[in-house]
Amino acid sequence: MRNILILGGTTQASALAKTLAERGERAVLSYAGRTDNPRAQPVPVRVGGFGGVAGLAAYLAREGVTHLIDATHPFAATMSAHAVDAARLANVPHAMLTRPAWQAGEGDRWSHVRDIAGAVQALEGPPRRVMLALGRMHVAAFAAQPQHHYLLRFVDAPNAPPALPSHHLVVDRGPFTLEGDLALMRAHGIDLIVAKNAGGDGARAKLDAARALGLPVVMIARPPLPHAHVLEQVGDVLAWIGHAAQRGV
């Protein structure tokens, strides 16, 4: 019997878990633990790290995992690299489920930067009202540009106030709507959006709202993916699991 470990934290991971449960597959969904109250899932859930490559490889062997699916966030580069190495050590077939990156279209005003440091540098200049659509991990870096007022949106309330002198925090969980993000940006007089190129539909509304309002977007590029077998749809994962799974290409 197959025993599938999903490294989750994305809507794709949840969709995969739901589909596997409906098919009667044995699966566990693993969260890194950055969200305090993750959504209920139809498969068993574990929360927390594994202890690096060696810890994950030991877990795969100890639990008899037959397939490892990395469905983490496209910016979880360290975890994705660990998954590749651990699967190789444990001799477990591995694939990465990731969504295509967003592409600018007609009417978009995007400027592209390589990383968080590039986004911080892009905010040099006079005060503006900036929506940081980044989650909470990298917000502190923007304290280097204290002249701006920042709109933040977190899934969970932080334990301590963000290290930004001028900000407004909204605690909310997606998926978000175009109408909702239009109203949010108008209410806070937003001039500029900073976003990670996460892809997918659940967080795209802010980009559609920015286009509708004619607002510029500083788009942070994804980190390079590790060398892995990459799939983009849940159906592709099902086919891969069912037919001669390979460890990577």
Side-chain angles (χ1 to χ4, degrees):
M1 183 177 181
R2 288 185 285 259
N3 182 17
I4 302 160
L5 176 62
I6 307 166
L7 304 179
T10 62
T11 55
Q12 281 182 303
S14 297
L16 176 60
K18 180 176 182 292
T19 300
L20 291 175
E22 290 171 347
R23 291 165 59 97
E25 298 278 3
R26 182 182 175 193
V28 171
L29 179 59
S30 177
Y31 288 113
R34 295 194 178 97
T35 300
D36 294 337
N37 297 296
R39 296 182 188 277
Q41 297 292 341
V43 300
V45 170
R46 71 171 300 279
V47 178
F50 292 93
V53 173
L56 177 54
Y59 177 93
L60 297 175
R62 182 175 66 251
E63 299 298 324
V65 173
T66 62
H67 298 80
L68 175 61
I69 311 298
D70 175 11
T72 57
H73 193 278
F75 281 78
T78 299
M79 186 68 246
S80 291
H82 286 180
V84 170
D85 293 339
R88 186 179 298 115
L89 280 175
N91 197 32
V92 171
H94 163 274
M96 179 180 294
L97 174 61
T98 190
R99 54 222 184 193
W102 290 316
Q103 302 293 329
E106 184 177 354
D108 287 323
R109 298 173 57 197
W110 293 8
S111 58
H112 297 272
V113 296
R114 287 199 315 176
D115 50 25
I116 294 293
V120 172
Q121 185 177 7
L123 295 189
E124 292 179 350
R128 306 182 77 173
R129 299 183 68 84
V130 180
M131 180 177 180
L132 289 184
L134 304 171
R136 62 186 180 184
M137 283 187 61
H138 303 290
V139 164
F142 291 85
Q145 301 287 1
Q147 70 273 30
H148 304 299
H149 176 79
Y150 293 98
L151 173 63
L152 312 175
R153 182 164 61 189
F154 295 170
V155 173
D156 302 302
N159 295 325
L164 298 172
S166 178
H167 70 270
H168 180 86
L169 171 62
V170 175
V171 177
D172 197 4
R173 186 190 295 265
F176 302 105
T177 65
L178 172 60
E179 294 76 15
D181 277 3
L182 281 170
L184 183 67
M185 292 177 190
R186 286 169 174 153
H188 291 273
I190 297 302
D191 302 312
L192 172 73
I193 293 93
V194 179
K196 294 178 178 179
N197 196 332
D201 297 328
R204 187 182 170 88
K206 59 180 174 285
L207 303 179
D208 295 334
R211 178 191 299 162
L213 296 172
L215 300 179
V217 176
V218 175
M219 185 63 72
I220 303 170
R222 295 179 177 188
L225 290 175
H227 196 55
H229 186 59
V230 178
L231 306 168
E232 293 185 347
Q233 303 292 333
V234 168
D236 298 334
V237 176
L238 300 180
W240 175 79
I241 290 171
H243 299 91
Q246 50 190 307
R247 293 186 190 85
V249 295

